[in-house]
């Protein structure tokens, strides 16, 4: 195990089960008027053994937060805790945390085996022990025959595996992954997504994964932190983030969403009636006041097209995607929405442009977002 | 030939002829010099049959032997000093946060490339003569220092290029993998910049070996290097011995430059 000083008795210890935590962490680059706030008072607690994803568009601060945890940057204010211990001032080589870099950063002058051993050698492990551990890592990432190769002789996917093995070899308490799959083609990326999940399950190490790819985040994560403008907007499991987005940005960034602007007409217990230009909808919602302007968010796959009941609409076009068809509709009053129809299940896709229909939404699928 | 370029210099009329003439003008004198180093007669212009005679004469000439040893000692010392200085300078200008006056440092390091050599030579002559008077020391140290000074930029440029081409995330990765600053330098930075250092040192060696102007001004009596010895010979009767020495120097330079080229060549 990584040498670790005894737990500091400074009373800052986090709740048990928390691997790494940022408390009110801010990071500014530059000084004075030209200062850029990359991270703005972020607090997040990542649980032991969890696959946690930081998701957001480029420039949202996700990589900055990762670099603060790794120790490559120090926060302008706030603290970073590892197992309840304040590590804010520790240099990267004193933190039992390893990183898989976006560019892999494999040492080109060393062999695959020497790359994987690097961390163990720097920690002063015995030769036999380091050899055994490196062999174990090679087997873990399924590169047994590649020990003596130069890294330049490997394919992108293989380099990725070496980078993983190298970072996992010292058995870090937290593994940080900075958009590691972005350089791979789609098929290899899918394969590596499953591979990463497997490695995380087999090693039990806490993974903090950074990506801008919402699909990657949804498929791999135990929990996701959605970031924008240096802040974390919502933390939750993939289903929660997808089904109950906290605000318009999250709803828009994760998957596709229809937005309808409306106004609260009446509130009755847990139900609110929202007035739209094309009619009104009664949906479950709390904390709303009459006359309040709201936005309704509905996922395209929750839109039902029928003839009997619902809001009047007209089909303006169909786009065929293979597994499904996107049916574009114009509601009375001019709002446009998209319905996703599964080609295997629905035969509505055959509806022609210009057909008048009625649109309804699956129960519980309408999210009321307060602007 | 997949794409037709709108303009290509190779399609201009007379391109091939001009190219041939240019290369001929560049290499004919050198070819002549090399040819006449194997001349059997005493003339540097009239061919008297093939012979190794002048190489043998040069080899046995004690003045040539001494000048050769002196040249090699100065070049090796200057290359070592310039290589060390240039390595530190390259690290200082690429591995630190940008600092005020960085451009000035860059200009100062490369100053010998811009200042006319004769100016440096005169300045060193005056500067060193003061020290000679004060200390009484008249050894090879002055030449070594002078050569080190003008060799620095030649060593600096390939080392700096190597460092600038290096992925900075490699050093970050080493640090992430528990290497402290010294271990990062020892196990990652240094091995990766080594080809640049070797190339820089070899270039410095060649530049020093070849120098006439500064050496001529700075050297004390009896401190001829190979180039200044040859210059001295040309003032008297010229024999193919000078050709033989020149050819040997040329061979050494070509050899070193080949190694330099192989080391700095981009790997695909």
């Amino acid at each position: 195990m990584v040498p670790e000083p005894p737990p500091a008795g400074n009373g800052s210890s986090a709740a048990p089960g928390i691997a790494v935590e940022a408390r009110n962490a801010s990071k500014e680059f530059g000084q004075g008027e030209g200062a850029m706030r990359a991270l703005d008072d972020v607090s997040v607690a990542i649980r032991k053994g969890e696959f946690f994803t930081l998701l957001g568009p480029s420039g949202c601060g996700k990589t900055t937060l990762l670099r603060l945890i790794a120790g490559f940057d120090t926060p302008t204010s706030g603290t970073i805790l590892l197992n309840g211990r304040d590590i804010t001032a520790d240099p990267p080589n004193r933190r039992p945390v390893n990183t898989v870099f976006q560019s892999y950063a494999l040492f080109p002058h060393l062999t695959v085996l020497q790359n994987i051993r690097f961390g163990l050698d720097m920690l002063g492990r015995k030769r036999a022990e380091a050899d055994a551990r490196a062999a174990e890592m090679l087997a873990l990432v399924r590169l047994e025959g590649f020990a003596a190769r130069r890294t330049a002789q490997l394919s992108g996917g293989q380099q990725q595996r070496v980078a993983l093995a190298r970072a996992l070899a010292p058995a870090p308490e937290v593994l940080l992954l900075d958009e590691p799959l972005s350089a791979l083609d789609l098929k290899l990326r899918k394969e590596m997504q499953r591979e990463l999940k497997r490695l995380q399950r087999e090693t039990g190490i806490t993974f903090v994964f950074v990506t801008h790819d919402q699909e990657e985040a949804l498929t791999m994560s135990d929990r996701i932190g959605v970031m924008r403008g240096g802040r974390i907007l919502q933390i939750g499991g993939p289903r929660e983030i997808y089904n109950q987005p906290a605000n318009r940005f999250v709803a828009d960034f994760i998957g596709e969403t229809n937005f309808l602007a409306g106004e609260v007409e009446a509130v009755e217990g847990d139900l609110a009636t929202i007035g739209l230009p094309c009619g009104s909808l009664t949906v479950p919602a709390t904390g709303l006041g009459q006359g309040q302007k709201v936005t309704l968010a509905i996922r395209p796959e929750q839109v039902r097209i029928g003839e009997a009941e619902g809001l009047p609409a007209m089909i303006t076009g169909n786009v065929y995607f293979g597994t499904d068809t996107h049916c574009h509709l114009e509601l009375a009053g001019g709002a446009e929405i998209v319905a996703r129809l599964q080609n295997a299940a629905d035969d509505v896709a055959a509806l022609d442009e210009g057909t008048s229909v009625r649109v309804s939404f699956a129960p519980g699928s309408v999210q009321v977002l307060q602007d | 030939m997949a794409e037709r370029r709108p303009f290509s210099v190779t399609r201009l009329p007379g391109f091939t002829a001009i190219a041939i003439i240019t290369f001929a003008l560049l290499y004919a004198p050198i070819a002549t010099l090399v040819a006449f180093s194997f001349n059997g007669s005493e003339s540097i212009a009239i061919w008297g049959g093939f012979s190794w005679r002048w190489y043998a004469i040069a080899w046995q000439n004690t003045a040539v032997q001494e000048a050769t040893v002196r040249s090699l000692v100065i070049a090796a010392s200057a290359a070592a000093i310039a290589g060390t200085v240039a390595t530190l300078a390259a690290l200082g200008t690429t591995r630190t946060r940008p600092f005020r006056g960085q451009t000035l440092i860059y200009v100062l390091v490369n100053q010998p490339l811009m200042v006319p050599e004769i100016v440096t030579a005169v300045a060193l002559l005056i500067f060193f003569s003061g020290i000679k008077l004060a200390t009484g020391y008249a050894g090879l140290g002055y030449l070594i220092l002078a050569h080190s000074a003008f060799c620095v930029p030649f060593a600096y440029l390939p080392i700096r290029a190597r460092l600038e081409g290096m992925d900075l995330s490699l050093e970050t990765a080493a640090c992430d993998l528990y290497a402290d600053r010294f271990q990062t330098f020892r196990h990652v930075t240094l091995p990766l910049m080594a080809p640049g250092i070797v190339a820089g040192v070899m270039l410095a060696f060649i530049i020093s070996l070849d120098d006439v102007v500064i050496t001529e001004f700075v050297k004390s009596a009896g401190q001829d290097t190979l180039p200044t010895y040859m210059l001295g010979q040309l003032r008297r009767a010229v024999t193919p011995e000078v050709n033989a020495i020149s050819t040997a120097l040329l061979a050494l330079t070509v050899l070193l430059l080949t190694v330099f080229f192989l080391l700095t060549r981009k790997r695909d």
Side-chain angles (χ1 to χ4, degrees):
Chain A
M1 287 293 113
V2 172
E4 193 189 339
N10 57 8
S12 68
S13 68
I18 299 300
V20 66
E21 187 179 355
R23 281 191 191 161
N24 307 104
S26 293
K27 178 67 184 173
E28 281 176 17
F29 292 105
Q31 276 170 354
E33 302 235 329
M36 213 275 291
R37 196 157 246 247
L39 212 57
D40 191 3
D41 195 31
V42 165
S43 294
V44 57
I46 295 161
R47 297 169 190 152
K48 275 201 175 100
E50 132 174 280
F51 196 120
F52 190 93
T53 298
L54 292 166
L55 172 68
S58 59
C60 71
K62 54 193 194 298
T63 296
T64 304
L65 181 54
L66 201 75
R67 291 177 63 86
L68 292 189
I69 298 173
F72 304 144
D73 285 317
T74 47
T76 312
S77 63
T79 48
I80 307 290
L81 302 156
L82 187 73
N83 290 325
R85 183 168 59 87
D86 186 347
I87 57 162
T88 315
D90 291 357
N93 54 314
R94 304 272 293 280
R95 299 183 184 203
V97 170
N98 291 134
T99 308
V100 176
F101 294 84
Q102 188 170 13
S103 62
Y104 313 146
L106 298 177
F107 304 123
H109 60 298
L110 301 178
T111 64
V112 168
L113 185 72
Q114 289 168 327
N115 263 281
I116 295 174
R117 284 181 47 133
F118 193 90
L120 301 166
D121 290 339
M122 292 304 121
L123 285 169
R125 296 294 166 75
K126 288 201 188 71
R127 206 183 167 75
E129 188 193 332
D131 278 338
R133 177 72 182 166
E136 193 186 322
M137 288 299 114
L138 274 173
L140 185 69
V141 297
R142 295 169 180 158
L143 282 177
E144 285 96 337
F146 292 82
R149 298 271 190 103
R150 293 266 160 184
T151 56
Q153 296 171 304
L154 302 179
S155 70
Q158 290 167 338
Q159 291 187 12
Q160 172 77 81
R161 286 161 193 269
V162 176
L164 273 164
R166 184 180 71 174
L168 285 168
E173 291 180 30
V174 177
L175 186 76
L176 308 175
L177 302 107
D178 186 9
E179 305 216 21
L181 307 182
S182 60
L184 304 177
D185 63 52
L186 185 66
K187 205 168 174 189
L188 200 52
R189 195 153 69 222
K190 299 270 178 214
E191 191 187 316
M192 283 310 293
Q193 287 177 5
R194 284 200 305 277
E195 186 78 6
L196 275 176
K197 273 306 269 185
R198 177 182 70 84
L199 286 173
Q200 200 258 337
R201 268 198 311 274
E202 285 180 16
T203 58
I205 291 172
T206 309
F207 276 34
V208 182
F209 185 85
V210 159
T211 184
H212 62 264
D213 183 332
Q214 43 99 11
E215 191 191 317
E216 209 164 88
L218 289 175
T219 54
M220 300 169 73
S221 318
D222 294 320
R223 287 197 305 154
I224 299 169
V226 185
M227 294 188 71
R228 185 178 69 156
R231 289 170 176 274
I232 295 188
L233 301 179
Q234 186 175 7
I235 298 176
R239 280 166 210 281
E240 186 187 341
I241 296 268
Y242 188 80
N243 292 324
Q244 289 118 38
N247 56 40
R248 186 177 177 132
F249 175 81
V250 176
D252 200 21
F253 190 72
I254 317 281
E256 286 171 59
T257 307
N258 296 301
F259 292 108
L260 293 172
E263 195 180 304
V264 181
E265 281 176 351
V267 181
E268 223 174 294
D270 287 349
L271 297 175
T273 304
I274 314 293
L276 302 165
C278 56
S280 62
L281 275 178
T282 302
V283 294
T286 50
L288 296 175
Q290 203 172 348
Q292 195 179 346
K293 296 221 181 298
V294 293
T295 300
L296 301 184
I298 308 115
R299 298 291 181 187
E301 65 272 23
Q302 307 283 15
V303 178
R304 306 273 182 268
I305 297 175
E307 284 162 14
E309 50 188 305
L311 306 167
M314 196 174 73
I315 295 177
T316 58
N318 291 301
V319 183
Y320 180 71
F321 278 93
T323 54
D324 47 31
T325 298
H326 289 188
C327 180
H328 291 254
L329 299 133
E330 187 179 316
L331 295 171
E336 290 187 4
I337 63 169
V338 176
R340 178 182 293 171
L341 310 168
Q342 256 196 352
N343 287 338
D346 304 289
D347 41 15
V348 205
L351 284 177
D352 291 329
E353 271 182 55
T355 312
S356 287
V357 292
R358 295 269 173 172
V359 163
S360 58
F361 308 116
S365 69
V366 180
Q367 290 296 308
V368 183
L369 307 174
Q370 304 178 39
D371 294 328
Chain B
M1 293 298 117
E3 200 179 340
R4 194 184 147 86
R5 295 213 184 105
F7 173 77
S8 168
V9 73
T10 58
R11 280 207 299 273
L12 288 181
F15 172 81
T16 314
I18 292 171
I20 290 172
I21 292 168
T22 307
F23 280 112
L25 283 174
L26 278 174
Y27 286 100
I30 297 177
T32 313
L33 173 125
V34 172
F36 276 93
S37 73
F38 297 106
N39 195 0
S41 81
E42 303 246 330
S43 167
I44 56 163
I46 302 159
W47 186 247
F50 181 89
S51 157
W52 288 98
R53 173 184 169 193
W54 297 107
Y55 286 89
I57 288 172
W59 185 254
Q60 282 156 8
N61 185 335
T62 46
V64 172
Q65 286 170 8
E66 281 169 17
T68 304
V69 170
R70 202 172 288 118
S71 271
L72 292 176
V73 166
I74 293 170
S77 313
I81 294 171
T84 309
V85 171
T87 301
L88 296 175
L91 284 170
T93 48
T94 59
R95 286 298 183 275
T96 49
R97 278 160 203 257
F99 54 88
R100 194 182 281 264
Q102 198 164 12
T103 317
L104 181 69
I105 298 283
Y106 188 73
V107 170
L108 285 178
V109 170
N110 289 306
Q111 169 268 345
L113 292 179
M114 295 166 231
V115 175
E117 208 183 345
I118 189 76
V119 175
T120 312
V122 172
L124 286 173
L125 170 70
I126 296 166
F127 182 68
F128 284 148
S129 63
I131 299 179
K132 264 185 212 175
L133 272 177
T135 62
Y137 171 72
L140 273 187
Y142 299 110
L143 278 175
I144 291 172
L145 277 181
H147 280 228
S148 303
F150 70 73
C151 283
V152 165
F154 294 97
Y156 173 76
L157 291 174
I159 298 173
R160 182 190 160 103
R162 184 84 196 171
L163 274 174
E164 278 182 336
M166 199 189 297
D167 182 1
L168 276 179
S169 67
L170 294 175
E171 287 162 31
T172 309
C175 190
D176 185 61
L177 291 161
Y178 312 106
D180 60 31
R181 274 158 177 260
F182 175 75
Q183 286 173 316
T184 301
F185 180 75
R186 160 81 183 73
H187 294 292
V188 176
T189 315
L190 189 60
L192 287 173
M193 73 190 288
I197 296 177
V198 174
V201 166
M202 283 184 13
L203 200 55
F205 187 84
I206 292 170
I207 297 292
S208 164
L209 206 59
D210 175 56
D211 181 74
V212 175
V213 178
I214 290 175
T215 313
E216 191 67 36
F217 277 72
V218 172
K219 74 183 169 70
S220 306
Q223 287 190 340
D224 265 323
T225 61
L226 214 42
T228 62
Y229 170 79
M230 286 157 67
L231 185 65
Q233 289 301 295
L234 290 176
R235 292 191 184 122
R236 301 183 201 107
V238 183
T239 66
E241 186 185 354
V242 172
N243 294 38
I245 301 168
S246 301
T247 305
L249 257 183
L250 181 69
L252 177 64
T253 310
V254 167
L255 179 74
L256 288 177
L257 280 176
T258 307
V259 178
F260 172 84
F261 170 76
L262 291 174
L263 282 173
T264 49
R265 185 177 54 171
K266 286 232 157 63
R267 279 170 227 171
D268 37 278

